[in-house]
Amino acid sequence: MRYSAGVCNLCGTGCGHFLRFEGGRIAGVAPSVAHPVSRGRLCVRGWHIHELLATGARIEAPMVRERGALRAATCEEAIASVADRLAALPDPATQLAVVGSARSSNEDNFLLARLAREVFGTGQLAVTSQGTHDRTLHALRSAFGEAAPIGSLADVDGARYILLVGGELARLNPIAASNVWMAAQRGARVVALSSTRTQMTRLASRHLQQKPGTKRIAVNAFLKAILTARGARADFTERDLPGYPELERALAGLSPAAAESITGIPYAALEEEARTLLAAESFMVIFASGISGLDVETVNPVVDLAAVSGKMGAAGSGILPITGVCNLQGSFDVGLVSEEHGDLVGALAAPSSRVRALFVVDHDDGVIRHRERIAGLDLVVYVGSFVNPFMDLAHVVFPAATFVEADGTYTASDGRVQFSPARIPPPAGVLPAWRLFGAIAARAGRDWGYGGEREVFAGIAGSVPGYAGLTHEGLAAGFGCHTRRAPTVRCRRLLPIDGTAAAAVSPGGSFPFALMIGKAQHFWHQHNLMRKTLIPRREYDATLLQYPEGYVELSAADAERLQVRDNWPVRLTSASGSLQTAVRISDDVQDGSACVPYFINEMISGFLVADDRAFTAGEDAVIPVRIEKA
């Protein structure tokens, strides 16, 4: 038996762990006590990552589709098929899309981006689970000059005032949530802004519970209260920042009475919190980014709020957009996402789309939910480590090494770049993805000449500013290094905000309920990777046993008005479609609102996709619905 150190590959927290090997097989996992992020902790998913790695559902050989069925092929045959067919596209810039994986290493994603741009000739790039992260990084770059978080998880420990904006940190990133909990135990004030009750709102010093769909206005109101309180102080220098006059004008039309009426949050509570925040020694704001993140109309005032606090750059202060997938930040850093194409996956389904070929690494439901459109493409190439339903759509399939079978670096939500070494060899004939991409490039006449992951990373360090000076050896010698290393953080410009005092969507009339889509714990469990574990999957299956058709959460008062009880069937009807599901009575949702967890495919394809805006508009999007006893 032996233990081997590395980095967990699931969420964006970046915990250190040890995999246990017995007889050459992965048999268990243990947390790293010395690692500065995990500090002896792992979440329920991290504790069971060995179950995923030990699954027998591996892709172990290339395949090509022939007469409607996939058959085994040599790597050379599969590479030639892909290279030749893509070279035949008349206009690859518009006809080919490449979707990478936020679980792949920086080395894999760096070369995938090069393959797409330099060899395939397309700039249509995206990454699975990117969600709203592009908007978050754009906001941070516009305000602070770098598309990177400010501060680190270690700064959470020293924060004296922590603002949680939405999300369910305890479910999506439990270790980061425990940092907040420990800070609270040391006396930090924790304020949670959320329309629903969550584990984090229960531990918070104060829960600012806004009405669903009004988070932007609630943040604007908090920002206005801070400006009012801070503007009266002699040390208020942020008034000189570019964008300050525009910010003041944008907020001028939001009266305290209107803010209170729209959001349901007493304005006096915001004024009190503004004074407390400004008196605190340090300030950390945390929100989810990615598939369950905030929309840009909410991110911008959140960033402005942090800027006008006057505390950015101080110890224990920062802006942390927490991602749900391990290397989403790194995927953006190495250029795998082209901002100009926005929601590329969603655009695939548009009737006007010219895409005829798709190259995908790994997948999530953001891709698979456009199944019919993808099935009609001329060429679909899939690269992955594990068997999954996306293979049914592919014309060519390549196996890839897992993260424990190749050296690689991963960049956590707080910008910590870490080295994770190969700990076992891949199955015979299975290549690391970076080497596969190099072979495809060589087949097309572009020999990059990389001999190993170390050389690929040197290419990253030479072209990505935040990675300059980093090496595999240096990262392996410790616990990584943060990409934002400047000693000072200065706001360059406050961001424009939408100061209108009206919610984007308001329930009423024939659709009186505000339906929210929960993208929390159950989303993880219906994910392809989590389905290959035992313990986390058991919890998901237990929920399905109780609610086989899913459920909608209602307050007890609303259930009584509708004359339904727990597990009774109801019908949800929106302007776009309808859905029958079961009631789950919960005190987590407010009266007049409802929440559907995003965890059953049939619910997604049969109802929620019809209102696709709800997937892309951010976590505070609501769908007005009518709920009736079925």
Side-chain angles (χ1 to χ4, degrees):
M1 182 174 68
R2 67 179 175 90
Y3 283 87
S4 178
V7 181
C8 185
N9 187 247
L10 292 176
C11 80
T13 305
C15 291
H17 69 186
F18 292 92
L19 290 179
R20 189 178 81 245
F21 293 85
E22 294 180 2
R25 292 181 55 83
I26 299 173
V29 63
S32 169
V33 174
H35 195 280
V37 176
S38 48
R39 292 183 290 180
R41 303 167 295 172
L42 287 175
C43 70
V44 64
R45 294 182 290 266
W47 271 112
H48 297 281
I49 197 169
H50 64 289
E51 296 172 359
L52 168 66
L53 295 168
T55 179
R58 287 291 303 271
I59 305 172
E60 295 188 339
M63 288 175 272
V64 296
R65 189 169 297 280
E66 194 171 86
R67 299 186 182 90
L70 289 173
R71 65 163 177 82
T74 65
C75 191
E76 292 74 16
E77 180 186 7
I79 288 174
S81 174
V82 170
D84 294 347
R85 294 172 73 175
L86 290 181
L89 285 175
D91 184 12
T94 62
Q95 294 178 316
L96 171 62
V98 175
V99 181
S101 171
R103 298 187 189 284
S104 297
S105 69
N106 290 321
E107 289 78 359
D108 292 345
N109 285 338
F110 179 65
L111 289 198
L112 179 61
R114 286 195 64 183
L115 182 70
R117 292 191 173 95
E118 299 174 16
V119 179
F120 295 158
T122 182
Q124 297 193 106
L125 301 173
V127 64
T128 53
S129 304
Q130 71 180 57
T132 61
H133 201 54
D134 55 340
R135 308 167 203 175
T136 299
L137 295 183
H138 179 77
L140 288 168
R141 181 171 54 237
S142 300
F144 292 98
E146 292 185 41
I150 298 173
S152 68
L153 284 174
D155 282 308
V156 175
D157 297 339
R160 301 304 298 164
Y161 191 105
I162 300 173
L163 176 63
L164 304 172
V165 183
E168 173 46 309
L169 198 62
R171 287 183 171 178
L172 291 175
N173 300 78
I175 300 303
S178 72
N179 281 45
V180 175
W181 178 81
M182 288 190 288
Q185 296 305 301
R186 288 191 286 268
R189 184 168 182 80
V190 178
V191 175
L193 175 63
S194 173
S195 59
T196 58
R197 296 186 185 91
T198 67
Q199 287 293 91
M200 300 310 291
T201 66
R202 291 184 177 92
L203 74 80
S205 313
R206 170 174 258 167
H207 177 195
L208 299 172
Q209 187 172 21
Q210 96 281 355
K211 296 176 184 176
T214 68
K215 188 172 278 107
R216 170 187 64 83
I217 300 171
V219 175
N220 281 351
F222 197 10
L223 177 57
K224 186 182 181 80
I226 291 173
L227 284 181
T228 303
R230 182 126 168 81
R233 292 169 44 160
D235 62 344
F236 182 49
T237 58
E238 283 71 24
R239 184 183 294 105
D240 299 327
L241 284 173
Y244 184 84
E246 294 88 343
L247 182 62
E248 271 198 321
R249 282 196 296 272
L251 291 170
L254 180 62
S255 70
E260 186 167 322
S261 173
I262 296 169
T263 66
I265 299 174
Y267 193 75
L270 297 176
E271 291 180 309
E272 181 181 339
E273 289 303 328
R275 291 189 294 271
T276 306
L277 186 159
L278 293 174
E281 295 175 4
S282 53
F283 170 47
M284 179 68 70
V285 57
I286 300 173
F287 56 95
S289 188
I291 199 167
S292 55
L294 304 174
D295 59 15
V296 67
E297 290 79 13
T298 308
V299 167
N300 279 9
V302 166
V303 172
D304 283 348
L305 189 153
V308 300
S309 75
K311 302 181 190 302
M312 294 301 101
S317 298
I319 305 173
L320 287 185
I322 304 291
T323 62
V325 188
C326 70
N327 200 33
L328 184 58
Q329 179 64 39
S331 304
F332 278 77
D333 290 344
V334 301
L336 189 56
V337 181
S338 51
E339 291 185 10
E340 65 268 27
H341 291 291
D343 180 18
L344 177 59
V345 175
L348 282 174
S352 59
S353 172
R354 296 193 64 212
V355 171
R356 299 305 311 158
L358 184 63
F359 192 106
V360 173
V361 181
D362 205 346
H363 89 281
D364 70 1
D365 290 281
V367 176
I368 205 74
R369 73 176 192 263
H370 300 298
R371 184 185 185 89
E372 291 184 7
R373 171 72 174 98
I374 295 171
L377 296 176
D378 296 337
L379 176 64
V380 176
V381 181
Y382 181 73
V383 180
S385 303
F386 302 101
V387 173
N388 68 61
F390 201 89
M391 294 170 62
D392 296 339
L393 304 173
H395 300 93
V396 181
V397 175
F398 289 102
T402 68
F403 78 100
V404 298
E405 295 165 349
D407 287 349
T409 58
Y410 299 84
T411 307
S413 296
D414 66 352
R416 181 188 293 270
V417 186
Q418 300 187 84
F419 175 74
S420 189
R423 286 169 269 181
I424 53 174
V430 175
L431 301 175
W434 70 267
R435 192 176 290 280
L436 171 66
F437 302 150
I440 296 174
R443 177 65 172 74
R446 298 289 188 95
D447 185 1
W448 291 327
Y450 293 115
E453 294 92 335
R454 182 184 306 169
E455 296 173 30
V456 180
F457 189 75
I460 297 172
S463 58
V464 181
Y467 292 68
L470 301 183
T471 63
H472 275 192
E473 292 79 2
L475 295 172
F479 297 105
C481 184
H482 289 90
T483 55
R484 187 188 282 272
R485 300 192 290 277
T488 59
V489 177
R490 185 178 65 84
C491 178
R492 299 181 177 186
R493 183 177 184 84
L494 295 170
L495 301 176
I497 66 166
D498 177 359
T500 55
V505 178
S506 298
S510 301
F511 306 110
F513 281 89
L515 179 68
M516 301 170 286
I517 301 172
K519 298 175 181 175
Q521 192 169 4
H522 294 304
F523 168 73
W524 276 86
H525 293 170
Q526 69 97 38
H527 191 282
N528 172 60
L529 297 186
M530 296 310 296
R531 281 177 178 269
K532 293 178 172 58
T533 62
L534 299 177
I535 303 301
R537 174 63 191 268
R538 186 174 65 184
E539 182 182 333
Y540 172 63
D541 287 344
T543 304
L544 282 181
L545 281 174
Q546 189 173 4
Y547 301 99
E549 296 182 354
Y551 60 79
V552 57
E553 289 184 324
L554 294 176
S555 71
D558 283 334
E560 185 175 350
R561 276 192 289 274
L562 294 170
Q563 297 186 318
V564 294
R565 296 181 181 177
D566 199 276
N567 227 332
W568 283 23
V570 291
R571 178 159 293 281
L572 278 64
T573 304
S574 74
S576 304
S578 65
L579 163 73
Q580 180 168 317
T581 187
V583 169
R584 183 182 193 184
I585 297 174
S586 169
D587 62 0
D588 289 345
V589 296
Q590 302 179 59
D591 295 347
S593 63
C595 184
V596 169
Y598 175 48
F599 77 107
I600 294 181
N601 278 330
E602 289 72 20
M603 293 172 67
I604 298 167
S605 59
F607 176 67
L608 298 178
V609 166
D611 206 323
D612 201 54
R613 181 195 57 79
F615 283 98
T616 58
E619 68 157 49
D620 201 36
V622 299
I623 304 172
V625 298
R626 178 172 64 252
I627 302 177
E628 302 163 298
K629 187 178 355 179

